[in-house]
Amino acid sequence: MANEVRPASVDQLVWAQEYQQRRRSPGLAFLIRLVRDPRGAAALSVLGVLLTFAFIIPLVVTTSPFESVRGQRLLEPSPSHPFGTDELSRDLFIRNAVGFRSTLLSGLFAVIGGWLIGITLGYTAGYRGGIVDTLISRAIDTLLAFPGILLAVLLIAWFGPGLTSLSLAIAVFNIPFSTRLARAAVLREVVRDYVLAAQTVGCTGVRVLFRHIAINTFGLFAVQLPIAIVNSILIIAALGFLGLGAQPPNPTLGGLLFDGRRFMRLAWWYLLAPASIVAVFMLALNFLSDVLSEMLDPVRRGRA
Amino acid sequence: MNYVLARLIRQFIPVVFVASILIFVLAELLPGDPAAIALGETATPEAVTAMRHEMGLDRPIVVRYVRWLGSALTGDFGRSTTGKSVTDLVQASAPPTLELAVVAFTFGNLLGVAFGVVAGVYRGKFPDTLIGIAASLVIAVPSFVAGLLILLVFTVWLSWFPSAGRVGLTENPVEGLKYLALPAFSLGAVVAAVVSRFTRQSIVDVLTNDFIRTARAKGLSEHTVIFVHALKPSMLPVVTIVGVQLGGLIGGSIVIEQVFTRPGMGRLLIGAVNSKDYPTIQAITLLLVSTYIVFNLLTDLLYAWLDPRLRPGARGRA
């Protein structure tokens, strides 16, 4: 009979599943959909250009970001100096590229450091409960009482301005949110059977947390971490602009904004370049995140 | 009233208390002896000991903390390393910041509600799309970067506004506004963008209600329906983000004052950080943190007032 449905063998089922997976992984399929969306493609290409600027240009261009050439002070943009030169006759193109890279990297590392501390604190608070939980939670409440970048400014006041204290301040700045997130995640997971099973076979608390619960809560952090990194990059740029970041002569985006502001009447390009980089970077990221959340949310996808 | 008191005792006071300890201890842990710094490098050890006694530094840290907090509560924050009274410095820098925050807040909320209502009423049509795009742009670009670009365009290229300084709004309103316009716009635009999103969504939700259909069925003009019937209930979610906004305004004004070289608490703070003027840092931080916590508390109380379900003793609350 033509319409007879024959029971498939296990081998056949596995083969069919593998075939489908090989054909297109969900991640790849998603990426293709993202690139086919004109807005997604636009956001990705802008980000691509910016990241190339930050990470490839410093490797390719041989100009030193510290080299001053006599008589080339505050030159307007030209083919040899696409972004002009600064008050010490240094090439601003390479300084912006290196500064952007250093800001991105310090954001990345500071956030990861802060999150490692925060996640450990949150896990401990959620898993141990009782007085430990109360102490950690109240400490986090106190940190949250400092509005916006005030906490970071206060910490830099304590450590003294510089790249190390800036990174430390950003790490601390990231602790409250990551702690809360991790604590909530543990509280949700700790009642699950697999945790009980792990405890029953005699796993220590540390092992239960970092081998079992950590793996099951990873997805949550993967979503929030990029947002935290972007926010922290902004705070780093703002603090650099306040003169509290890396000290000269090392270029950072914030430092370039600070110097550009000082010389804006003499050299508009000095301020325009780093300000535009931050603005375009943030626009592209926000745009990408809008497109992504629309694609991931079937409710919004259907709505006008 | 009991609820207000309970929140005050259980949340506000402990958090301010712990924050004040943190602010005090951070400065105390610093290397360097304030007495020796005050006297300079040529001071004899005896003079330093005498100065330490005079400044109260030879007492236990707990005693010093209690004295510091006690005098802070009476409005005395000690002397800045510049020799001036910290209270005087803070008092002189507060009006410009307050001015900026109040104007940015008012401007942002009025504009945000207006745009939000227009977007909500014209949902899915051209004005809605336009306002939506504008709001996304404003939210994406951080206010201090937008401020720098605005500064470059309007003061350097067009020379329409002064690029630095401040004139008191109460002394000379016209001149004052000239100095205030760009910083207040940079700060307020973000508020406007966020508020317009909330208002739009809220208006869209409220307009689906039966009482709106009734109002329309009565033959009321669309104008009356929106401004008399729909606007008030749709303000509830908007009011609830006021606390978050104020936190943003406090942090934002620190940076914006630096962008527009406007004297104020932000500039005083950054100057103090750069010159390691700890009494001033402590005073400003304590003030900003307390203000922030007070506004968060007020927002919480506002929630409870607007939504009786959140009050203690209400059904369904643990």
Side-chain angles (χ1 to χ4, degrees):
Chain A
M1 292 252 268
N3 290 337
E4 185 190 11
V5 180
R6 281 182 304 169
S9 72
V10 174
D11 281 349
Q12 276 174 319
L13 282 176
V14 169
W15 181 84
Q17 210 181 354
E18 273 177 2
Y19 174 72
Q20 290 231 308
Q21 278 173 1
R22 210 169 339 152
R23 219 172 49 159
R24 193 169 279 177
S25 74
L28 186 67
F30 189 77
L31 201 66
I32 289 172
R33 240 174 73 205
L34 182 64
V35 176
R36 284 203 183 133
D37 187 311
R39 297 166 309 157
L44 281 179
S45 10
V46 171
L47 282 178
V49 169
L50 282 173
L51 292 179
T52 309
F53 176 66
F55 291 99
I56 311 285
I57 292 290
L59 302 177
V60 179
V61 177
T62 50
T63 324
S64 155
F66 306 110
E67 185 196 344
S68 346
V69 180
R70 187 182 284 270
Q72 298 202 340
R73 195 172 168 271
L74 293 175
L75 289 185
E76 279 201 36
S78 63
S80 54
H81 299 291
F83 288 3
T85 61
D86 70 1
E87 80 279 13
L88 297 172
S89 310
R90 294 172 300 196
D91 178 50
L92 278 172
F93 184 67
I94 189 73
R95 280 186 77 75
N96 271 291
V98 174
F100 190 28
R101 182 179 66 180
S102 104
T103 303
L104 290 176
L105 288 179
S106 49
L108 190 71
F109 289 124
V111 171
I112 290 174
W115 277 57
L116 285 179
I117 301 171
I119 289 173
T120 311
L121 283 175
Y123 276 177
T124 315
Y127 194 70
R128 293 286 297 276
I131 182 82
V132 178
D133 185 20
T134 312
L135 279 178
I136 292 177
S137 299
R138 288 295 86 77
I140 296 303
D141 283 349
T142 310
L143 289 184
L144 284 171
F146 290 85
I149 67 168
L150 190 62
L151 181 63
V153 171
L154 188 66
L155 289 167
I156 290 176
W158 185 37
F159 299 128
L163 193 60
T164 322
S165 53
L166 177 73
S167 308
L168 277 172
I170 296 299
V172 175
F173 179 80
N174 273 286
I175 289 177
F177 181 63
S178 50
T179 305
R180 286 202 161 178
L181 202 65
R183 181 175 172 273
V186 168
L187 289 181
R188 205 190 53 204
E189 291 295 312
V190 85
V191 292
R192 299 275 174 91
D193 286 343
Y194 75 86
V195 175
L196 187 64
Q199 286 166 339
T200 312
V201 298
C203 290
T204 59
V206 176
R207 192 179 169 86
V208 172
L209 274 176
F210 290 95
R211 288 303 292 268
H212 298 271
I213 293 180
I215 290 167
N216 285 291
T217 51
F218 182 74
L220 194 63
F221 301 126
V223 175
Q224 295 295 334
L225 198 62
I227 299 173
I229 292 173
V230 171
N231 283 338
S232 299
I233 287 172
L234 266 191
I235 299 278
I236 291 177
L239 290 169
F241 171 69
L242 295 176
L244 305 176
Q247 299 303 298
N250 294 316
T252 59
L253 272 190
L256 288 165
L257 289 170
F258 177 76
D259 290 331
R261 166 75 178 82
R262 279 166 56 216
F263 289 97
M264 66 174 185
R265 295 213 169 269
L266 297 168
W268 52 266
W269 57 91
Y270 202 166
L271 177 59
L272 187 64
S276 312
I277 290 173
V278 180
V280 173
F281 182 61
M282 293 312 297
L283 274 175
L285 280 175
N286 270 272
F287 206 59
L288 184 67
S289 110
D290 279 357
V291 176
L292 280 178
S293 60
E294 212 169 291
M295 283 173 68
L296 290 169
D297 183 357
V299 180
R300 267 185 67 185
R301 203 167 29 189
R303 232 176 18 202
Chain B
M1 200 55 219
N2 278 336
Y3 174 66
V4 177
L5 219 61
R7 289 302 294 266
L8 207 64
I9 294 168
R10 276 184 35 218
Q11 288 192 315
F12 176 70
I13 293 176
V15 173
V16 173
F17 181 64
V18 177
S20 74
I21 292 178
L22 188 68
I23 291 166
F24 181 76
V25 170
L26 274 184
E28 283 296 311
L29 289 176
L30 285 160
D33 184 348
I37 294 167
L39 288 173
E41 282 180 7
T42 54
T44 59
E46 291 78 32
V48 172
T49 314
M51 190 67 182
R52 282 183 66 84
H53 182 72
E54 197 182 315
M55 290 170 85
L57 292 170
D58 51 353
R59 288 160 181 271
I61 188 163
V62 180
V63 176
R64 274 181 288 144
Y65 168 73
V66 171
R67 286 176 68 174
W68 172 73
L69 191 65
S71 41
L73 287 176
T74 57
D76 175 15
F77 287 100
R79 298 215 157 266
S80 130
T81 49
T82 55
K84 290 179 194 145
S85 146
V86 172
T87 311
D88 290 349
L89 285 176
V90 171
Q91 261 173 3
S93 71
T97 303
L98 218 60
E99 221 172 64
L100 176 62
V102 168
V103 173
F105 181 77
T106 317
F107 159 78
N109 276 290
L110 289 179
L111 206 69
V113 168
F115 279 136
V117 169
V118 172
V121 171
Y122 292 96
R123 184 162 80 106
K125 295 191 185 121
F126 179 68
D128 182 22
T129 316
L130 196 69
I131 291 168
I133 292 174
S136 302
L137 286 179
V138 170
I139 289 174
V141 180
S143 64
F144 83 98
V145 174
L148 284 168
L149 291 170
I150 289 171
L151 185 73
L152 193 62
V153 172
F154 289 97
T155 70
V156 179
W157 288 345
L158 298 174
S159 304
W160 286 357
F161 293 95
S163 65
R166 174 234 176 201
V167 169
L169 209 52
T170 42
E171 298 150 32
N172 188 341
V174 180
E175 274 297 299
L177 264 183
K178 258 188 176 172
Y179 284 91
L180 195 59
L182 295 183
F185 178 79
S186 310
L187 260 184
V190 186
V191 176
V194 175
V195 168
S196 80
R197 280 189 175 178
F198 271 79
T199 309
R200 175 192 179 276
Q201 194 52 46
S202 191
I203 286 276
V204 167
D205 291 343
V206 167
L207 284 180
T208 60
N209 276 318
D210 283 342
F211 69 85
I212 295 295
R213 193 163 48 165
T214 310
R216 283 191 180 135
K218 281 198 302 188
L220 294 178
S221 70
E222 194 60 22
H223 191 264
T224 317
V225 171
I226 286 160
F227 288 99
V228 177
H229 293 253
L231 192 59
K232 204 172 158 195
S234 65
M235 281 300 98
L236 296 189
V238 178
V239 170
T240 55
I241 54 165
V242 164
V244 183
Q245 283 179 21
L246 282 161
L249 280 179
I250 293 174
S253 63
I254 295 177
V255 191
I256 286 291
E257 279 176 2
Q258 209 72 15
V259 170
F260 292 95
T261 331
R262 219 182 124 76
M265 290 176 84
R267 273 184 75 79
L268 185 64
L269 176 67
I270 301 303
V273 169
N274 281 322
S275 59
K276 299 194 187 302
D277 182 355
Y278 294 102
T280 310
I281 299 174
Q282 287 176 327
I284 297 178
T285 330
L286 191 63
L287 277 176
L288 291 182
V289 169
S290 317
T291 317
Y292 183 54
I293 299 173
V294 166
F295 277 113
N296 273 336
L297 185 75
L298 287 178
T299 318
D300 281 1
L301 297 178
L302 209 58
Y303 282 148
W305 179 63
L306 289 172
D307 191 342
R309 282 171 302 183
L310 293 174
R311 284 176 210 164
R315 247 171 354 133
R317 194 171 182 276

